[in-house]
Each structure stands twice: as structure tokens, then as C-alpha cells.
Amino acid sequence: MEIWHNPRCSKSRAAKQRLDDEGIEYTERRYLDDAPSAEELDHVLKLLNKEPWEIARTKEAAYPKLLEHDRAQWIAHTVANPSLIERPIIIDGDEAHIER
């Protein structure tokens, strides 16, 4: 299991705490420091059954207001600006979800 974690985010901290409280082993990925590759993001998006614009944080300065819904362009932009990624994302084998 892996959690894409931002320690400054309260939702992310709460999800990490829940995993700790339940004794679940996981790998923590601080995705702002260790951004996913385009291939990794594409894979996680497929697990989430989402498009990149569906997991984008619209209030981030890097949010591309005029970018068409072109999957490859969005993935490239998100990889270059990982703060756009909604968090936290928990990946467990062939499943992934965004903690809310």
C-alpha cells in the first residue's frame, strides 16, 4: 500500500493517521518532493477510473484554466505541477482511491 501524502494537508494527515491507528503498513510518498512520472500518474488515474482534470485542485495557481481536455497534456502539466493532485491518494495493489 502506498499513500501519496502532503504533510501540510489536514485530509492527508488524517488519512495517514487512520492507517497508523489501524496498524496498516504502507509506503509514504511525498508527491510534492517526489512527483510521479507521467506513466505512474496515468496508471493511478486508470485505477481511480478518473481523468487528470477530475483530480485537479482547481484553486491551485497552476490550474490550467484554458487547457483543453487532452489527457496527455493534462498528465504532463500535472507531473510538472504536482500540487494540482487531489490528496491523499491511497494505492493498494490494483485499487486506488482519494480520501475525502
Side-chain angles (χ1 to χ4, degrees):
M1 181 176 290
E2 181 175 75
I3 181 172
W4 288 10
H5 177 61
N6 176 353
R8 292 176 294 191
C9 171
S10 62
K11 289 180 195 174
S12 193
R13 288 191 311 268
K16 188 173 177 287
Q17 185 64 53
R18 184 183 59 79
L19 294 174
D20 290 340
D21 290 348
E22 294 178 13
I24 297 172
E25 291 186 29
Y26 61 90
T27 300
E28 176 183 332
R29 181 174 190 164
R30 294 190 178 196
Y31 66 92
L32 294 177
D33 301 323
D34 181 17
S37 67
E39 293 78 18
E40 289 171 315
L41 182 57
D42 183 56
H43 175 72
V44 168
L45 287 165
K46 287 175 182 172
L47 294 179
L48 290 167
N49 196 31
K50 300 273 187 198
E51 295 296 339
W53 50 88
E54 294 178 306
I55 68 159
R57 299 175 52 80
T58 59
K59 295 183 181 178
E60 288 293 322
Y63 185 79
K65 297 189 181 14
L66 299 176
L67 193 61
E68 297 287 327
H69 281 176
D70 178 287
R71 185 179 175 90
Q73 285 183 336
W74 268 85
I75 287 174
H77 186 72
T78 303
V79 166
N81 299 279
S83 65
L84 287 170
I85 298 171
E86 185 65 46
R87 67 232 176 207
I89 296 177
I90 296 178
I91 305 151
D92 189 7
D94 290 335
E95 297 181 5
H97 68 277
I98 298 172
E99 286 283 313
R100 306 248 181 228

